[in-house]
Amino acid sequence: MVDLQFFEPKDLPELNYELDEIQAQFSALPKQALERIEARNQNDDFFAYPITIFYDEKVAGFCVLDFGDDKLALTDNADSVLLRSLSINPEFQGNGIGKSVMIVLDHFIKEHFKDCNEIVLSVNERNDLAFQIYLKTGYIFEGKKIEGRSGPQFVMFKILD
């Protein structure tokens, strides 16, 4: 069973995993994402929330819910959240965790961020596995692309009801 919880420092040792060369092109590692959040916090930008992904009560992955202005490159909706830096520890991959995260994320956001009504994300156009998971879990791609650090990204969104 997949569970999402706000990151706590005690989770860090188990989030110290490496992604293979291909996956590393598509997502920041938890440590990198946490360093970026810390840098932003130094500038009074406290709008990014690190999330630990648990699978059967074990730390299995990580993502960030970003309510800052970066999301406005993907949507005009000020009440949206940008999902970024999603990764699953390679030891846990192949168990459907990524798909489950995308399903339980809706409830987590509605529970903790009541004003949020949309999730936006960008996925590298070469990351077909992730793109297919997002489509299967209700995300919509309307053809919008942006340039990302590893090439063109498809912009996807999901309206929360």
Side-chain angles (χ1 to χ4, degrees), residues 33-91:
L34 289 166
E35 288 169 357
R36 288 184 195 138
I37 289 171
E38 184 59 34
R40 288 174 62 176
N41 290 350
Q42 300 299 316
N43 295 318
D44 293 327
D45 178 354
F46 297 99
F47 300 109
Y49 298 86
I51 306 297
T52 304
I53 300 164
F54 289 84
Y55 178 69
D56 289 340
E57 301 181 17
K58 295 181 180 116
V59 173
F62 181 84
C63 66
V64 175
L65 298 177
D66 189 343
F67 290 87
D69 289 343
D70 287 357
K71 68 185 177 190
L72 299 177
L74 308 179
T75 181
D76 295 330
N77 182 355
D79 294 325
S80 65
V81 62
L82 172 59
L83 174 65
R84 59 187 345 162
S85 303
L86 173 62
S87 67
I88 305 298
N89 182 331
E91 292 180 24

Side-chain angles (χ1 to χ4, degrees), residues 123-143:
V123 58
N124 191 289
E125 69 180 7
R126 293 177 291 131
N127 192 353
D128 191 59
L129 179 63
F131 181 78
Q132 294 302 322
I133 289 171
Y134 300 144
L135 285 176
K136 289 175 185 166
T137 55
Y139 285 77
I140 298 167
F141 173 61
E142 293 183 332

